[in-house]
Amino acid sequence: MSIKEDQPLIEEIKEIFAQIQNIDPGSLIREEELGKLLSFSDYFDDFVRIINFYKRLTYLDISSLPTSQLTIIKTKATTFLSYINSIQLFTVDANNAMPQRDAVASNLINSYQDAFNQLSPIITYCEKEGTDYQALQIEVNKIVDSINYKAEEISQTFIEKEQELNTIVEAAKKAVHDVGVTQHTINFKEASVKYNTLSKRWLKAIIGTATLIILLSLFAFNSPIEVAPNDPYASYRFIQAAVARFTALFTTLIILFWEVRNYNAAQHNFTINQNKQNALSTFETFVSAARDEETKNAVLMQTTRAIFSNLPSGYLKNESADDGTSQIIEIAKSVNSKIPN
């Protein structure tokens, strides 16, 4: 039959599903009406298992099922409701009360095996059909590609900055013997070395975590999840294994983002302290080379600005350059008055 012809049958099944969703296992015990001896309390666990099984059907998308499977669902669900109704309407017959109660409960319990055999494949199909694994794999592949690109970019930037900083350090070392002010650079030098070492450690952690993410991705998408073909809880075991794999993968991604943030912070502090060290190391060299007072004042202002201002390093988000010129003019004038011409 066509989808259009199956639509009335699907609507009937949805109405039956609405009735199943409203079933409360506790209401079937009926201890207040029948008394403790004749109540269905002995069958409560069986009722819960069977009702929960049928309620799983109500959450499925059955629109893609063919007519024969829809008919099976309707038949079994209708039979299930009739047994539930028999339990709800059971009345005490003083002549043969206990056997009648057992018979009513047994009708529902004995129907479970056949219903499970016919409905569990349908449930498994619908649950798997509702999970878009291909879309998940595409999304994770994009994330992994982005991480690999970012790791390569960070590594290349680190190499370039390291070469640039090495050049600056060498120039600063040459000026140490000629400039008395270089003795004040030790604090900034120690800080820059500390953050440089720390940033290298974070970079290694980033590369290691990125490699781990790639391995986890290969495992999550290329390693099959094996379940026994006759396992009645096959779908549960499959979903459990899949969720565990993706949880591990996304947790590792969060760790990577945290490591990148710490790496940027370390590189920022390293760059700022290195800049201050360079400003102090080269200050007197440029002042000695200047022949006029205006040039000396300009060198003094730039050096003071490099030491006392918060300049952007390029590693942090939303950085703004706070040159603090108005706050350091008086400091610059005081220092300049003590420099011999």
Side-chain angles (χ1 to χ4, degrees):
M1 296 178 66
S2 65
I3 296 177
K4 184 176 181 180
E5 293 173 327
D6 283 336
Q7 194 59 38
L9 179 58
I10 293 175
E11 294 301 324
E12 292 179 19
I13 294 174
K14 288 183 178 180
E15 292 178 2
I16 296 174
F17 282 175
Q19 299 179 48
I20 293 176
Q21 287 178 340
N22 293 327
I23 297 175
D24 178 13
S27 66
L28 301 180
I29 304 305
R30 303 184 60 195
E31 185 171 326
E32 293 183 0
E33 304 171 48
L34 303 175
K36 186 173 182 180
L37 184 61
L38 292 177
S39 70
F40 291 92
S41 58
D42 292 340
Y43 300 100
F44 178 73
D45 292 338
D46 294 299
F47 290 171
V48 170
R49 179 177 67 167
I50 299 171
I51 292 172
N52 287 341
F53 174 77
Y54 276 95
K55 283 190 175 184
R56 284 182 60 190
L57 287 169
T58 65
Y59 299 103
L60 301 178
D61 180 7
I62 60 174
S63 59
S64 63
L65 295 177
T67 305
S68 59
Q69 274 64 38
L70 292 173
T71 303
I72 291 174
I73 293 176
K74 179 183 177 182
T75 301
K76 293 300 179 183
T78 302
T79 302
F80 166 73
L81 285 178
S82 68
Y83 290 146
I84 293 294
N85 188 56
S86 298
I87 295 173
Q88 292 172 335
L89 299 178
F90 173 73
T91 57
V92 176
D93 184 351
N95 296 326
N96 200 16
M98 191 68 71
Q100 287 182 359
R101 183 208 64 172
D102 294 340
V104 171
S106 296
N107 288 335
L108 176 61
I109 296 172
N110 293 336
S111 68
Y112 177 57
Q113 182 64 62
D114 182 62
F116 184 89
N117 293 339
Q118 296 191 48
L119 295 178
S120 58
I122 298 175
I123 294 174
T124 301
Y125 166 78
C126 290
E127 287 179 342
K128 290 184 178 179
E129 187 69 15
T131 304
D132 192 351
Y133 293 102
Q134 184 176 4
L136 288 175
Q137 182 171 2
I138 292 174
E139 186 65 23
V140 172
N141 286 341
K142 289 181 180 179
I143 294 174
V144 172
D145 291 340
S146 176
I147 291 172
N148 292 337
Y149 175 79
K150 188 65 177 179
E152 293 177 1
E153 185 181 37
I154 292 173
S155 178
Q156 183 62 32
T157 302
F158 172 77
I159 294 174
E160 293 175 357
K161 291 296 181 181
E162 186 177 34
Q163 293 175 348
E164 179 181 353
L165 290 172
N166 287 337
T167 302
I168 295 174
V169 170
E170 290 298 325
K173 288 181 178 179
K174 292 180 181 179
V176 167
H177 300 289
D178 301 323
V179 182
V181 76
T182 55
Q183 61 183 331
H184 301 292
T185 66
I186 186 65
N187 293 330
F188 295 128
K189 180 179 179 180
E190 291 177 353
S192 65
V193 170
K194 171 186 173 182
Y195 286 113
N196 186 28
T197 302
L198 187 61
S199 66
K200 290 180 180 179
R201 293 176 180 174
W202 282 120
L203 181 61
K204 292 179 181 178
I206 290 172
I207 295 174
T209 304
T211 303
L212 178 60
I213 289 175
I214 295 174
L215 295 177
L216 287 175
S217 300
L218 294 175
F219 172 76
F221 294 108
N222 295 326
S223 177
I225 299 176
E226 299 181 357
V227 294
N230 296 325
D231 188 352
Y233 300 99
S235 59
Y236 283 137
R237 301 188 193 285
F238 176 85
I239 294 174
Q240 183 182 33
V243 168
R245 294 186 181 187
F246 284 106
T247 299
L249 179 60
F250 285 112
T251 300
T252 313
L253 285 173
I254 293 173
I255 294 174
L256 177 64
F257 295 151
W258 178 71
E259 291 173 347
V260 170
R261 185 181 66 177
N262 288 340
Y263 168 79
N264 288 336
Q267 279 293 93
H268 169 78
N269 290 327
F270 166 69
T271 303
I272 293 299
N273 283 282
Q274 186 71 65
N275 184 51
K276 294 179 179 181
Q277 177 190 347
N278 294 338
L280 281 176
S281 300
T282 59
F283 171 72
E284 287 188 6
T285 300
F286 287 104
V287 169
S288 299
R291 296 183 179 181
D292 58 276
E293 193 67 21
E294 293 181 358
T295 302
K296 291 181 180 181
N297 289 335
V299 172
L300 175 62
M301 289 297 300
Q302 291 300 320
T303 304
T304 308
R305 179 174 179 268
I307 295 174
F308 294 99
S309 302
N310 294 322
L311 300 178
S313 64
Y315 286 96
L316 302 181
K317 292 183 179 180
N318 303 322
E319 283 186 318
S320 61
D322 180 18
D323 57 12
T325 302
S326 61
Q327 299 179 7
I328 63 176
I329 288 177
E330 296 301 324
I331 299 176
K333 289 180 179 179
S334 176
V335 174
N336 187 45
S337 64
K338 299 179 181 180
I339 298 176
N341 293 326

